[in-house]
């Protein structure tokens, strides 16, 4: 993580400020255009160049400590295998000065550990090869700019947050378009991969955290984006409430979630949803078991066949390999939760949060490769009104 990123963060448990205790750090040089951008924004100082490879983030208020490992700040309120690796790597004198602090052991939200385990496997197997899902990076960028609208380039916009950033591709696009600081948050180890891939850009920041205990103060961001993520939590509505609290008045929030059309549209989709309801409990409990892998491989092969049929009618759809077909099957079948929502329900959340200029995006304005998914599901954009309380 970049040293100055600590200014963005707070304790996910009590909301208190965090102190950075670096163990290993380097001073990085950047491309001339990034140096010039930092100078223009008046943030070019010695700490701007500091990259923290490992260390601790400490909360004096609740005596909690959070590891920074391989450059990734892990701000979860419960221990994971990464915490165990951190302790093993830094056992002994390195941790002695921090004996008064401890990792938190709060019970995670229902389904979070299963999502973390399954999605970590899913995204760590993915490559940065110009294709994301069934779309080229160019189509992905086109869709993102349509979704977010003009908000990225409005005067005064300084901070962007993507909730559920995966490999960080959209987080990168937000910075590329506007030059602002862009933050990607994810529960899975995909964010570790994003952190490594984009580590030479000091305007990109990544953190592993839960949507129900996010390590940011209210009203921290000008623009918040979440696509295909919150419906995999125990409550999409409560997750949205947690997200929208981070948006400043007059800022923009964008949310894309599964719609009822994804299960009602055709007999085929009703049948697949029936399979999903039957197999989801077992798959979410142990997505990496041999029976689960066999089922997902079979479904992945089905996704490849279906992809081939779709490409006959829309050549802009990118071909699926078997591994990516399995990736799609994991995404569909292994999360404990995959809620579907009505348009009126989602727009009601925006209204209750104090948003105006609420817009349900038209699928016809999206890239042809994404028409089907956008038609069946729901993308909503809203602006938080001035005077709305956090």
């Amino acid at each position: 993580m970049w040293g100055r990123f600590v200014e963005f963060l707070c304790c996910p448990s009590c909301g208190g400020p965090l102190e950075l205790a670096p163990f290993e750090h380097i001073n990085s040089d950047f491309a001339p255009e990034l140096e010039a951008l930092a100078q223009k924004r008046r943030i070019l100082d010695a700490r701007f160049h500091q990259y923290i490879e490992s260390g601790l983030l400490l909360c004096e208020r609740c005596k909690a400590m959070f590891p920074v490992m391989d450059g990734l700040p892990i701000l979860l309120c419960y221990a994971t295998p990464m915490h165990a690796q951190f302790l093993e790597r830094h056992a002994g004198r390195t941790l002695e000065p921090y004996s008064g602090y401890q990792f938190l052991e709060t019970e995670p939200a229902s389904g979070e550990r299963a999502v973390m385990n399954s999605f970590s496997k899913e995204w760590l197997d993915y490559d940065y090869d110009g294709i994301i899902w069934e779309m080229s990076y160019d189509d992905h960028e086109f869709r993102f700019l349509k979704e977010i609208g003009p908000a990225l380039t409005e005067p005064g916009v300084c901070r962007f947050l993507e909730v559920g950033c995966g490999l960080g591709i959209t987080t990168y696009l937000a910075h590329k378009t506007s030059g602002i600081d862009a933050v990607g948050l994810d529960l899975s180890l995909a964010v570790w991969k994003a952190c490594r891939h984009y580590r030479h850009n000091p305007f990109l920041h990544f953190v592993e955290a839960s949507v129900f205990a996010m390590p940011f103060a209210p009203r921290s961001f000008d623009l918040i984006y979440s696509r295909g993520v919150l419906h995999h939590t125990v409550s999409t509505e409560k997750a949205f409430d947690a997200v929208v609290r981070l948006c400043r008045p007059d800022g923009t929030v964008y949310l894309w979630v599964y719609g009822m059309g994804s299960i009602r549209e055709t007999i085929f989709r009703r049948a697949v949803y029936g399979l999903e309801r039957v197999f989801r409990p077992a798959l979410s409990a142990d997505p990496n078991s041999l029976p689960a892998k066999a089922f997902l491989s079979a479904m992945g092969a089905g996704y490849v066949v279906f992809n081939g049929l779709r490409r006959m009618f829309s050549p802009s759809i990118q071909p699926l390999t078997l591994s990516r077909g399995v990736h799609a099957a994991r995404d569909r079948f292994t999360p404990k939760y995959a809620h579907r929502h009505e348009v009126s329900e989602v727009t009601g959340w925006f209204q209750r949060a104090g948003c105006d200029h609420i817009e349900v995006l038209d699928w016809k304005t999206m890239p042809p490769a994404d028409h089907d998914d956008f038609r069946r599901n729901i993308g909503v954009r809203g602006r938080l009104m001035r005077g709305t309380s956090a």
Side-chain angles (χ1 to χ4, degrees):
M1 63 173 277
W2 298 103
R4 68 188 183 93
F5 186 40
V6 71
E7 298 175 359
F8 293 49
L9 301 171
C10 68
C11 176
S13 177
C14 72
L18 294 175
E19 178 186 351
L20 176 62
F23 296 170
E24 302 169 275
H25 68 274
I26 59 174
N27 288 321
S28 294
D29 293 324
F30 309 119
E33 60 270 20
L34 295 177
E35 291 269 1
L37 179 58
Q39 193 166 23
K40 179 181 178 182
R41 291 184 50 192
R42 299 181 180 178
I43 55 176
L44 185 59
D45 56 21
R47 195 173 60 164
F48 183 81
H49 289 265
Q50 187 183 59
Y51 188 83
I52 312 302
E53 289 281 2
S54 66
L56 286 170
L57 290 161
L58 305 169
C59 177
E60 180 66 26
R61 184 185 296 176
C62 66
K63 294 299 180 182
M65 65 180 186
F66 305 92
V68 179
M69 186 168 175
D70 295 333
L72 176 68
I74 303 171
L75 281 113
L76 294 166
C77 295
Y78 48 89
T80 71
M82 292 285 276
H83 290 73
Q85 290 180 39
F86 180 87
L87 290 176
E88 182 179 353
R89 186 179 297 181
H90 297 287
R93 278 185 264 179
T94 307
L95 294 176
E96 282 180 8
Y98 312 104
S99 58
Y101 296 85
Q102 60 183 353
F103 292 145
L104 297 178
E105 290 291 353
T106 305
E107 187 65 25
S110 177
E112 273 201 359
R113 286 197 185 275
V115 165
M116 179 189 296
N117 293 337
S118 182
F119 281 19
S120 290
K121 167 65 176 172
E122 175 181 330
W123 286 109
L124 288 176
D125 288 345
Y126 227 90
D127 293 323
Y128 293 92
D129 62 358
I131 298 173
I132 185 75
W133 296 110
E134 296 177 298
M135 298 177 67
S136 68
Y137 282 11
D138 287 342
D139 277 348
H140 182 77
E141 181 173 8
F142 177 83
R143 181 188 69 191
F144 168 64
L145 295 178
K146 284 287 187 181
E147 288 175 314
I148 217 65
L152 265 177
T153 54
E154 290 179 350
V157 173
C158 297
R159 290 184 182 179
F160 167 92
L161 172 66
E162 181 178 11
V163 179
C165 67
L167 296 179
I169 296 167
T170 306
T171 310
Y172 163 72
L173 291 175
H175 164 72
K176 174 189 171 186
T177 302
S178 61
I180 61 176
D181 280 296
V183 178
L185 176 148
D186 206 284
L187 183 64
S188 81
L189 288 180
V191 74
W192 172 84
K193 193 167 184 175
C195 185
R196 305 309 291 170
H197 186 75
Y198 292 110
R199 62 170 294 167
H200 298 293
N201 190 321
F203 293 96
L204 295 178
H205 314 278
F206 296 96
V207 59
E208 185 178 14
S210 165
V211 71
F212 294 113
M214 286 191 286
F216 308 110
R219 305 186 178 195
S220 293
F221 294 93
D222 306 292
L223 185 55
I224 302 177
Y225 177 93
S226 185
R227 190 179 209 285
V229 174
L230 301 191
H231 49 233
H232 289 314
T233 66
V234 63
S235 168
T236 315
E237 181 179 6
K238 289 180 180 178
F240 174 79
D241 290 342
V243 167
V244 78
R245 282 197 292 269
L246 301 181
C247 188
R248 67 165 174 81
D250 210 30
T252 297
V253 179
Y254 177 79
L255 176 68
W256 187 98
V257 292
Y258 290 156
M260 297 303 295
S262 64
I263 57 176
R264 290 177 178 169
E265 191 178 57
T266 63
I267 294 175
F268 171 75
R269 296 201 172 278
R270 293 192 189 101
V272 173
Y273 182 59
L275 278 176
E276 185 181 318
R277 295 186 64 182
V278 169
F279 288 100
R280 182 182 299 282
L283 292 171
S284 64
D286 191 1
N288 296 317
S289 67
L290 287 177
K293 289 179 179 178
F295 175 83
L296 294 171
S297 294
M299 293 303 300
Y303 272 92
V304 172
V305 172
F306 188 55
N307 168 260
L309 294 173
R310 292 178 64 217
R311 294 185 69 239
M312 293 172 62
F313 300 96
S314 182
S316 65
I317 295 173
Q318 300 298 308
L320 281 182
T321 62
L322 179 58
S323 64
R324 292 204 164 170
V326 173
H327 174 108
R330 273 186 173 271
D331 189 78
R332 178 72 182 257
F333 289 96
T334 63
K336 185 174 183 178
Y337 303 105
H339 306 296
R340 270 73 172 185
H341 300 284
E342 301 283 4
V343 171
S344 60
E345 184 183 10
V346 178
T347 56
W349 301 341
F350 277 79
Q351 291 167 350
R352 181 169 48 78
C355 293
D356 63 359
H357 295 90
I358 300 168
E359 181 182 2
V360 181
L361 273 68
D362 185 353
W363 63 270
K364 293 187 290 294
T365 66
M366 297 298 155
D370 207 38
H371 278 181
D372 286 348
D373 275 347
F374 227 100
R375 187 179 68 250
R376 295 190 301 267
N377 299 301
I378 305 165
V380 179
R381 184 172 66 223
R383 185 179 291 271
L384 198 66
M385 289 188 287
R386 291 182 182 274
T388 303
S389 61

